[in-house]
Amino acid sequence: GPVAETFRVIRGVVTEEYVRSTQGVFQFDLSGDGGGTWYIDLKTKGGSTGFGKPPVAADVVMSMSSADFVKMFT
């Protein structure tokens, strides 16, 4: 779906530079189609994205609809 595709694209652009400069973990609690808990880890070496809770504690937790999430990143 659109949420999974958005995270696939994000994963493709995460670099060590982003991780070094950001040093944050973002958790997204999404409602609606493709919803659930997703994360972007820009703190752990290499960075990562995925479905479920982040591997380390989130610095920021955002709750929104999956449609708004996709709009925010496109």
Side-chain angles (χ1 to χ4, degrees), residues 37-65:
T37 299
W38 295 79
Y39 69 89
I40 302 172
D41 178 356
L42 297 175
K43 186 180 272 187
T44 306
K45 182 172 176 57
S48 64
T49 67
F51 181 76
K53 296 277 186 184
V56 296
D59 297 300
V60 177
V61 177
M62 294 184 227
S63 298
M64 64 185 71
S65 73

Side-chain angles (χ1 to χ4, degrees), residues 8-69:
R8 187 191 67 74
V9 170
I10 292 168
R11 184 177 312 119
V13 298
V14 169
T15 64
E16 278 294 333
E17 179 64 28
Y18 283 137
V19 173
R20 269 194 305 277
S21 64
T22 306
Q23 288 296 296
V25 178
F26 304 88
Q27 178 176 317
F28 300 90
D29 293 332
L30 305 178
S31 61
D33 188 37
T37 299
W38 295 79
Y39 69 89
I40 302 172
D41 178 356
L42 297 175
K43 186 180 272 187
T44 306
K45 182 172 176 57
S48 64
T49 67
F51 181 76
K53 296 277 186 184
V56 296
D59 297 300
V60 177
V61 177
M62 294 184 227
S63 298
M64 64 185 71
S65 73
S66 56
D68 285 345
F69 171 83

